[in-house]
Amino acid sequence: MTRFDPPLPFIDLAAQRRRLGPALDEAILKVVHAGAYILGPEVAEFETALADFCGARHVVSCSDGTDAIALCLMAKGVGPGHAVVCPSFTYTATAEAVARLGATPVFADVEDVTFNLDPAGIPAALATARAAGLEPVGVIPVDLFGHPADYDALAAVCAEHGLWMLADSAQGFGATYRGRRLGTFGFATTTSFFPAKPLGCFGDGGAIVTDDDGLDAVLRSLRFHGLSADRQDNDRVGLTGRLDTIQAAVLLQKLAIFDDEIAARGRIADRYAAGLADVASVPTVAADCVSVWAQYTIRVAPERRASLAAHLKAAGIPTAIYYARPVHRQGAYAACPVAGNGLPVTERLSTEAISLPMHPYLDEATQDAIVEEVRAALA
Ligand SMILES: *Cc1c(COP(=O)(O)O)cnc(C)c1O
């Protein structure tokens, strides 16, 4: 018997929309009527609000989370011959931004507990890059599934080797590392407002957070076709990389409830852990960190994963596998160097990880039913 018919949503954006109510529709209509569709007043208002939210000097909004990374790399002059260390156990976009500029992603392994880039694996990645005739220039850690990467340890390794660090917080934006909101680790932090991310808009969008005044100016130029400061010239090659005014209006409404949503996500994660820790490997967050739980990803024995997914699907409970095919196994990246003797943790996680429904509007009765079905499937 199907327990949930129609099936549950994996992420319930409709519940969030109901909560935000007519104010959201009015904010969108206001932009439609005002007509400033590109860089209207809501864009600057949102950038200021987001900078305040994470205690940073600047936010440059942009077209999406991949362009956010690419814009930072363009500002750094990254190009052919350069190697950038990234995890392979992540969404494709991290490496894609590097490859698209002609530079080479070099894949390094992740930590077993946090799923995030292992600082101890970076020296091997640098050696691999040099052996391939590449110059390592930087590292892009990812806050996978919403858990902050180990920024202090990563920053120490980067400093030791003369590398910059760029934080890809597309999944972790809003999280806290050692009492500080993500956004001010590395030379810049990027995020995505893809609808399914913890802070999402109604389309594509992204942002870059930085404390660097000079970088802020360069990024504003790059996202607008390389427009010069006096707006009389185009003195660099840029992108059509702006955030739409309508999306900024949506994001202003969503940012107002984001802290409350982060707290709800934390409560739901705690309930999942309490209900499942004895039947599956449940995710943990470092003691002095707050995750935004972009995903709730458990680990099961590889031979049980498909049957768990099938059992839940039959009950009307969706699951997702992030990531069955790590980036170094994807066609476009198969020729990129892999650090040291391969990525054993990445390979193992790709066979064990399975993500359960996770969003701030998952009520307790529904969550209890999900826990019950997971337990029944794994019994
Ligand atoms: C979603 C995501 C991106 C890219 O964001 P888009 O807005 O879809 O371009 C980059 N990195 C990670 C880790 C992501 O999850």
Side-chain angles (χ1 to χ4, degrees):
M1 189 195 75
T2 303
R3 191 158 188 169
F4 294 103
D5 188 16
L8 294 174
F10 189 64
I11 296 176
D12 194 352
L13 292 175
Q16 185 196 49
R17 206 165 163 264
R18 283 194 296 277
R19 171 180 178 177
L20 289 167
L24 181 61
D25 301 22
E26 282 158 21
I28 294 170
L29 265 183
K30 187 172 168 227
V31 177
V32 172
H33 291 310
Y37 304 130
I38 300 293
L39 298 187
E42 285 83 356
V43 175
E45 199 188 324
F46 172 63
E47 289 177 340
T48 303
L50 201 66
D52 289 348
F53 174 81
C54 47
R57 286 178 60 78
H58 306 285
V59 165
V60 180
S61 61
C62 65
S63 36
D64 58 70
T66 313
D67 279 351
I69 302 170
L71 286 163
C72 291
L73 299 179
M74 290 164 79
K76 283 280 179 197
V78 172
H82 292 152
V84 177
V85 180
C86 351
S88 172
F89 196 61
T90 175
Y91 183 58
T92 315
T94 316
E96 183 184 26
V98 174
R100 159 171 137 190
L101 293 173
T104 304
V106 177
F107 297 110
D109 215 350
V110 293
E111 294 175 329
D112 190 67
V113 178
T114 63
F115 310 143
N116 283 326
L117 195 61
D118 185 353
I122 290 175
L126 302 179
T128 300
R130 290 198 184 95
L134 301 165
E135 180 199 349
V137 291
V139 177
I140 310 184
V142 172
D143 307 306
L144 203 73
F145 304 147
H147 315 318
D150 190 354
Y151 284 106
D152 286 347
L154 289 163
V157 176
C158 288
E160 187 187 333
H161 295 277
L163 306 166
W164 48 251
M165 179 168 76
L166 172 63
D168 176 357
S169 293
Q171 298 183 18
F173 192 77
T176 304
Y177 176 79
R178 299 194 173 158
R180 240 165 86 203
R181 188 87 76 169
L182 300 189
T184 52
F185 299 93
F187 79 89
T189 296
T190 62
T191 191
S192 163
F193 304 126
F194 185 80
K197 309 283 179 176
L199 179 63
C201 60
F202 284 174
D204 283 310
I208 302 147
V209 186
T210 185
D211 278 339
D212 182 334
D213 299 352
L215 179 67
D216 172 67
V218 171
L219 292 170
R220 284 178 196 284
S221 164
L222 284 171
R223 77 167 176 189
F224 201 137
H225 301 286
L227 190 67
S228 62
D230 64 4
R231 303 178 77 88
Q232 302 304 309
D233 189 16
N234 291 78
D235 52 7
R236 44 175 74 83
V237 175
L239 301 178
T240 310
R242 298 157 302 231
L243 179 74
D244 294 343
T245 309
I246 286 181
Q247 301 302 347
V250 169
L251 285 160
L252 276 164
Q253 301 289 316
K254 293 202 186 192
L255 183 59
I257 59 167
F258 191 35
D259 263 326
D260 183 63
E261 291 186 335
I262 293 169
R265 287 172 180 276
R267 285 193 297 274
I268 291 161
D270 288 347
R271 294 188 86 248
Y272 266 141
L276 296 174
D278 59 330
V279 294
S281 168
V282 298
T284 52
V285 181
D288 37 11
C289 294
V290 176
S291 175
V292 282
W293 299 103
Q295 302 294 339
Y296 193 84
T297 304
I298 62 171
R299 291 164 67 180
V300 298
E303 64 277 12
R304 310 202 66 174
R305 186 168 69 175
S307 60
L308 171 61
H311 177 108
L312 294 176
K313 188 172 182 210
I317 300 168
T319 58
I321 308 278
Y322 300 122
Y323 294 91
R325 194 188 280 264
V327 186
H328 75 287
R329 298 220 171 270
Q330 296 171 13
Y333 305 93
C336 296
V338 165
N341 299 317
L343 310 175
V345 180
T346 296
E347 303 283 2
R348 193 166 63 247
L349 290 173
S350 69
T351 66
E352 295 178 351
I354 179 165
S355 303
L356 304 176
M358 165 53 90
H359 58 82
Y361 305 97
L362 189 59
D363 65 79
E364 293 193 355
T366 305
Q367 190 183 15
D368 289 346
I370 296 170
V371 166
E372 199 179 294
E373 294 293 345
V374 173
R375 296 187 68 87
L378 294 176

